[in-house]
Amino acid sequence: MNIMDTEKVKTDIEKALGSVALKSIRSSLLIENAQDLPKVAKFLKEDAAYRLDYLSSVTASDFIEYLETVYHLYSMEKKTGPVTLRVRVPRTDPKIPSLVSLYRGAEFQERDNFDLFGIVYEGHPDLRRIMMWEGFEGFPMRKDYLQEDSETLESADVEWLEKNGVKVPEAAKAKAAELRQQGKRALAERRVEDKG
Amino acid sequence: MNKIFEAKDINLAGINSSLLEVNIGPQHPSTHGVFRMNAVLDGEVIVSLKPVMGYLHRNHEQIAENMSYAASMPYTDRLDYFNSMSNNLGYALSVEKLAGLEVPERAEYIRVIMAELTRLINHIAVIGFLLNDLGAFFTPVLYAFREREKILDIFEEISGSRMMCNYLRFGGVKRDLSPAILERIRGVVTAFPRFLEEFETLLTKNEILCMRCQNVGVLSPELAVNASITGPLLRASGVNYDIRKVDGYSVYPRFQFKVPLGPKGDVYDRYYVRILEMRESLKILDQALSTIPAGEIMSKKMIPFLKSPRNFKPPVGEAYARVEAPKGELGFYVVSDGTPQPWRYHVRAPSFINLTILEDMCLGQKVADAIIILGSVDIVLGEVDR
Amino acid sequence: MALAPNTSQVDDGLKNELAKKGIVVTTMNQLYNWGRRSSIWPMQFGLACCAIEMIATACARYDIARFGAELFRPSPRQADLMIVAGTVTKKMAPQVVRLYNQMAEPKYVITMGACSIAGGPFIDGYNVLRGIDRYIPVDVHLPGCPPRPEALLYGLMELQKKIDGQQIETAEWYQQGLKREYPIPEFGPHGLIPKFNPEVWQPRENDLRKERYGQPIMIGKKSKAPNLDVVAVAAAPRPAAPAPTPPPTPGIA
């Protein structure tokens, strides 16, 4: 397999597309403006020298200050690769243009990332939750996701159980009422961060 | 079909006709686990089919991000639970790339032997289940599992567990193979072709199999490449892309083997490509068993961490490594932040991405064919949903 | 109408003697239970890894047919036994409970594997149900990850023992007012509602996991992201750094 030289890829893209701001990070290319992603991907896919026709992996990560998506591109025709593209978006407004029109292989992976990280891929034909159910709140793979405590009943549970004719122990009821009064959810205890 | 829950009335050219929505799964004998398909039928022809997954989403990635690197190894067994060894290999490669570890030659050979044995297990079971879907109820699976048990016995002897081997370590493998066990592997490898002949005599030119499988679920090579399809599914469509050849990871470049390609990309080609791949795997096994060198099985750098795996801290960085797992390209993307736990751990699961084109293959086919098309895609829900 | 107690008055020695002559003396209970336990039809219902071992048990080598339980039925209406083989996720749990409700009496449940007992290795996951016994009653718990086929056979034998011990007159599914349908949980914003059914299962008084490991959950303890932009050493890969934290560990050779 030919390992591609990131610097050469960078200069080639800059030569062809001009205005794209790129930065190389650890043998990958960071596209500074997320909106440039389809342009770059289209160039890499269609340019005769690269022909990166195979999108191997679309990975989202949460880096707390920003959310990131990493694309690993290979060429099935030339048997070369990978060229790694990164896109970083702010946590408050995570919007990245979708690559589904270029690579069908991104379809489920982008849905997966949308489901677990909450990154919105603009232009995706069917952006819905894929792993979790509709109506699930929050994005569970983000680092600040608060997981429910599965041992403590909350008031919604108690109401539901009583509606269905199940007897709820008094202690559990009292605990649920207390939580409701405080306006809290029953959350799983988190481990404190390891020092050092 | 589990239940018919809705029928939408539409008017087709003056004839009163209606589309039928059929929900297949998640508890259905032909969905290979807890997979669900929402199909819309016009008579018996599929006009739309939406895969629904997540019923086995057991948060492998989240759990792996909260434990040490070595502790994720047993979890990778449970990704694609037919092929624990090749999953181990993918993960070990990515962490070795991250930490810059060298693997001793003997360990590389052992890894190749194990990966190819899992390929045999996987392909034989897939063909068994595919025939199950075709209506040959359970008899082919009995044949397949008879052979599978022989290989599982070897796995049990070397790793202590039948299915969840957890045998590979970063920088090597857990235990050495004794000459006796190598002899047993050789015994299995020499006996396997006879079984394949038997299987093929019953199946390959079987008229029912040909009628049901040929020209069903055709996948064009262009769409296959565009949709990131990998593995036997891609090669059945005639695209020559095998990561063992392309990346040449481990010691695969030393072995002579061919990459079988299918002419058409229908269900029959996928069946036959898998049979041929098993023959190639046997060739690799044969060469590896006769040329396996003596020596270390563990990288010296990693020996201290065998006893204290929680102290293993790869340097800050990221690595993406991929292997040709029996179902396709299995990739692991690991980001290290210099602590004993990875910051990000992502699995590029082949059967998850191979499902992208399920609808395209099924459109215009009969509903019974959708079942065998799904069978030929070869999914394992542990990997689809992770 | 009061039923006569269905107990055998014949003593065991006499029974054995008669058996030698080809005469079998038995009670209705024994005969009935013998028939029931020798034709348990499990539901063909695999969730995850354990399902493969369940299939292996049904195949030639382990041959669950020796126990009369080889007829896997895809429909819950025809099944006597539900083998919950694999991780039950929160997304799947309502379906499992629904399938249980659809089974005809008498019905039994075997949880196969650590996941369906209590979440197993995946217990910390946000989408993993910590044991199906939170919603439905379970007859046999079968530990292992996955249990070997022999273990499944043993679990089946234990279930047969349980069936042997049941009486026709007192069996619960012949009683009036039997409630063996459990409410099906619903999807909520953070998990299932309810989290468990207190009629079937209640949390332990003392959290054994917390006692043993200190903290009950290992999720979300990092708050500082690595800075990948800074490359310490140029592209060349370096060996792993030795661990500086106590207790002192052997360094790298």
Side-chain angles (χ1 to χ4, degrees):
Chain A
M1 186 183 60
N2 306 334
I3 310 264
M4 294 210 172
D5 181 18
T6 318
E7 290 305 319
K8 187 177 170 294
V9 179
K10 191 178 162 210
T11 46
D12 280 358
I13 295 173
E14 277 165 354
K15 214 191 299 170
L17 299 176
S19 61
V20 179
L22 294 171
K23 189 179 155 195
S24 62
I25 294 172
R26 289 183 187 266
S27 66
S28 68
L29 285 176
L30 171 70
I31 300 171
E32 307 263 12
N33 182 359
Q35 298 305 322
D36 290 337
L37 173 72
K39 254 196 286 177
V40 175
K42 192 166 193 292
F43 166 75
L44 289 174
K45 189 185 174 190
E46 283 165 8
D47 187 71
Y50 289 101
R51 299 285 299 143
L52 297 170
D53 48 5
Y54 166 45
L55 175 63
S56 169
S57 167
V58 181
T59 312
S61 327
D62 178 7
F63 281 88
I64 297 188
E65 294 99 57
Y66 52 87
L67 297 170
E68 186 185 76
T69 308
V70 182
Y71 300 83
H72 290 91
L73 294 164
Y74 289 82
S75 171
M76 277 197 186
E77 194 183 302
K78 293 180 178 282
K79 310 250 183 302
T80 51
V83 168
T84 313
L85 301 178
R86 300 172 171 273
V87 177
R88 290 177 180 168
V89 281
R91 238 183 140 79
T92 45
D93 183 31
K95 279 186 187 151
I96 298 178
S98 168
L99 283 189
V100 176
S101 52
L102 275 172
Y103 299 100
R104 268 292 297 283
E107 187 179 331
F108 279 8
Q109 304 188 64
E110 287 184 355
R111 266 181 78 185
D112 187 31
N113 294 345
F114 165 72
D115 186 355
L116 304 180
F117 287 90
I119 300 176
V120 179
Y121 292 91
E122 289 175 308
H124 190 286
D126 185 19
L127 199 64
R128 285 178 294 134
R129 286 197 181 266
I130 188 166
M131 294 299 172
M132 310 306 290
W133 53 86
E134 291 295 329
F136 188 83
E137 280 176 14
F139 304 106
M141 282 294 285
R142 285 195 186 178
K143 295 281 175 188
D144 58 354
Y145 176 73
L146 299 173
Q147 202 167 318
E148 65 166 17
D149 178 18
S150 49
E151 320 285 308
T152 317
L153 291 179
E154 289 175 44
S155 50
D157 301 323
V158 174
E159 277 164 27
W160 189 92
L161 284 165
E162 285 181 339
K163 200 179 79 194
N164 283 279
V166 180
K167 227 177 126 223
V168 185
E170 287 305 318
K173 253 195 234 177
K175 177 88 185 152
E178 189 190 326
L179 277 171
R180 175 171 218 167
Q181 212 165 35
Q182 293 167 348
K184 278 185 193 163
R185 275 171 61 199
L187 294 175
E189 223 174 307
R190 303 174 98 188
R191 195 153 110 171
V192 287
E193 190 162 6
D194 291 347
K195 294 278 179 286
Chain B
M1 306 320 94
N2 258 3
K3 52 182 178 172
I4 296 164
F5 60 82
E6 199 182 335
K8 283 183 193 153
D9 289 319
I10 59 160
N11 200 351
L12 281 177
I15 306 156
N16 272 333
S17 163
S18 64
L19 293 181
L20 189 67
E21 260 186 57
V22 178
N23 174 45
I24 308 171
Q27 190 263 327
H28 188 273
S30 294
T31 50
H32 298 248
V34 284
F35 180 63
R36 182 173 149 205
M37 298 185 280
N38 281 347
V40 179
L41 307 179
D42 179 9
E44 229 185 306
V45 178
I46 292 178
V47 291
S48 156
L49 185 140
K50 294 284 175 217
V52 182
M53 46 195 107
Y55 292 98
L56 194 59
H57 178 50
R58 43 190 183 182
N59 327 125
H60 173 53
E61 291 177 8
Q62 180 217 33
I63 291 169
E65 283 169 20
N66 288 287
M67 51 175 50
S68 66
Y69 285 84
S72 292
M73 190 63 94
Y75 284 85
T76 59
D77 292 338
R78 287 156 183 81
L79 272 176
D80 173 359
Y81 33 80
F82 265 108
N83 320 306
S84 53
M85 293 282 197
S86 18
N87 301 343
N88 285 179
L89 179 57
Y91 182 47
L93 281 183
S94 72
V95 176
E96 279 154 14
K97 202 168 164 189
L98 188 66
L101 296 169
E102 295 283 322
V103 183
E105 217 169 59
R106 185 177 172 84
E108 293 275 30
Y109 273 76
I110 295 175
R111 286 174 172 199
V112 167
I113 291 171
M114 293 306 146
E116 293 308 315
L117 284 176
T118 43
R119 198 179 309 276
L120 292 181
I121 293 185
N122 180 70
H123 285 359
I124 199 69
V126 167
I127 292 170
F129 285 122
L130 174 64
L131 286 151
N132 207 355
D133 294 343
L134 277 166
F137 186 67
F138 225 60
T139 314
V141 179
L142 286 178
Y143 276 85
F145 271 62
R146 184 188 68 190
E147 295 308 305
R148 183 174 175 264
E149 291 288 340
K150 290 176 189 164
I151 299 176
L152 288 194
D153 278 353
I154 293 172
F155 284 176
E156 188 173 8
E157 195 163 332
I158 56 172
S159 75
S161 178
R162 283 159 49 86
M163 275 172 71
M164 306 304 178
C165 299
N166 184 21
Y167 177 62
L168 269 57
R169 293 287 177 271
F170 310 130
V173 293
K174 191 163 95 186
R175 274 190 215 110
D176 204 355
L177 298 187
S178 66
I181 192 87
L182 283 173
E183 210 42 53
R184 272 187 69 185
I185 299 175
R186 182 165 281 287
V188 168
V189 170
T190 40
F192 205 84
R194 224 183 112 201
F195 159 72
L196 268 185
E197 301 274 303
E198 185 191 3
F199 215 50
E200 270 208 80
T201 321
L202 292 170
L203 300 177
T204 301
K205 285 182 184 158
N206 185 315
E207 206 179 325
I208 303 171
L209 186 96
C210 294
M211 298 273 282
R212 282 295 305 278
C213 294
Q214 282 174 352
N215 297 322
V216 169
V218 178
L219 175 64
S220 70
E222 295 77 29
L223 180 61
V225 172
N226 194 17
S228 306
I229 307 303
T230 44
L233 198 57
L234 174 76
R235 291 191 285 274
S237 296
V239 182
N240 185 354
Y241 196 75
D242 186 321
I243 296 162
R244 290 175 293 176
K245 289 272 189 201
V246 175
D247 277 12
Y249 62 92
S250 199
V251 284
Y252 276 111
R254 298 187 195 175
F255 304 124
Q256 299 282 324
F257 64 98
K258 289 182 204 142
V259 180
L261 300 177
K264 232 184 220 163
D266 54 8
V267 174
Y268 186 83
D269 283 348
R270 284 169 216 148
Y271 154 77
Y272 202 58
V273 159
R274 288 199 173 100
I275 292 267
L276 294 176
E277 272 191 18
M278 279 193 275
R279 294 196 188 283
E280 298 302 321
S281 287
L282 288 170
K283 275 189 212 161
I284 298 174
L285 278 168
D286 195 44
Q287 293 167 50
L289 285 169
S290 49
T291 55
I292 181 167
E296 293 292 311
I297 54 154
M298 212 42 214
S299 157
K300 282 214 172 53
K301 272 181 205 163
M302 286 305 291
I303 287 172
F305 296 113
L306 284 178
K307 284 269 153 47
S308 57
R310 283 179 204 176
N311 291 325
F312 175 60
K313 296 175 184 173
V316 177
E318 58 170 349
Y320 179 71
R322 51 184 201 153
V323 293
E324 182 69 35
K327 293 187 165 50
E329 177 190 320
L330 177 69
F332 284 85
Y333 174 75
V334 185
V335 177
S336 165
D337 61 350
T339 63
Q341 295 90 15
W343 176 261
R344 177 80 177 108
Y345 170 100
H346 174 75
V347 185
R348 188 258 187 231
S351 32
F352 173 57
I353 294 160
N354 286 358
L355 278 176
T356 314
I357 36 78
L358 183 66
E359 186 179 9
D360 302 55
M361 289 197 288
C362 291
L363 288 183
Q365 308 276 356
K366 300 271 193 301
V367 66
D369 294 336
I371 299 292
I372 61 167
I373 292 169
L374 179 68
S376 72
V377 173
D378 181 13
I379 57 165
V380 156
L381 266 294
E383 194 177 67
V384 173
D385 294 344
R386 289 156 290 151
Chain C
M1 190 184 77
L3 290 164
N6 192 358
T7 46
S8 171
Q9 305 294 325
V10 187
D11 93 348
D12 284 350
L14 181 60
K15 254 193 214 171
N16 286 342
E17 279 304 307
L18 286 170
K20 281 176 198 162
K21 302 236 158 44
I23 300 166
V24 179
V25 179
T26 184
T27 60
M28 199 58 211
N29 254 338
Q30 272 171 5
L31 190 66
Y32 182 69
N33 284 340
W34 170 78
R36 285 203 304 130
R37 74 174 197 143
S38 310
S39 62
I40 300 172
W41 288 7
M43 186 150 65
Q44 187 176 8
F45 174 53
L47 290 172
C49 334
C50 293
I52 307 299
E53 286 296 64
M54 189 172 81
I55 295 166
T57 319
C59 284
R61 187 178 188 181
Y62 297 99
D63 197 11
I64 204 170
R66 292 178 293 157
F67 300 86
E70 82 281 18
L71 216 56
F72 283 83
R73 306 307 299 176
S75 163
R77 303 281 185 202
Q78 302 166 341
D80 305 312
L81 165 66
M82 179 154 85
I83 303 176
V84 187
T87 317
V88 188
T89 58
K90 286 178 184 166
K91 194 167 178 179
M92 191 62 196
Q95 270 72 269
V96 179
V97 179
R98 185 173 286 123
L99 287 168
Y100 179 82
N101 289 347
Q102 286 173 350
M103 281 166 71
E105 291 285 354
K107 50 191 173 185
Y108 301 96
V109 178
I110 293 181
T111 53
M112 186 181 182
C115 294
S116 55
I117 294 173
F122 298 97
I123 185 165
D124 281 342
Y126 48 81
N127 191 26
V128 176
L129 185 74
R130 296 183 174 183
I132 192 61
D133 55 1
R134 284 168 174 248
Y135 295 113
I136 56 175
V138 175
D139 295 281
V140 179
H141 290 275
L142 201 63
C145 191
R148 293 177 57 89
E150 292 95 326
L152 180 57
L153 294 179
Y154 178 72
L156 191 71
M157 282 151 72
E158 289 295 305
L159 184 68
Q160 289 182 336
K161 272 188 210 163
K162 181 169 182 172
I163 292 175
D164 277 341
Q166 288 177 326
Q167 307 278 325
I168 302 177
E169 310 92 68
T170 55
E172 46 191 350
W173 58 90
Y174 282 139
Q175 312 301 316
Q176 284 188 334
L178 170 71
K179 181 193 169 195
R180 290 253 278 188
E181 282 196 8
Y182 292 90
I184 297 161
E186 286 167 16
F187 295 136
H190 307 287
L192 289 176
I193 290 179
K195 286 168 184 167
F196 53 87
N197 186 344
E199 277 185 3
V200 185
W201 182 91
Q202 289 196 15
R204 283 170 179 280
E205 293 276 306
N206 47 348
D207 189 341
L208 294 179
R209 192 162 174 232
K210 193 171 178 178
E211 274 171 25
R212 171 136 191 202
Y213 297 106
Q215 294 284 349
I217 197 161
M218 310 248 291
I219 300 297
K221 57 187 175 180
K222 281 184 181 174
S223 57
K224 193 167 169 291
N227 189 359
L228 290 181
D229 306 11
V230 183
V231 183
V233 179
R238 346 169 267 187
T245 44
T249 49
I252 296 168

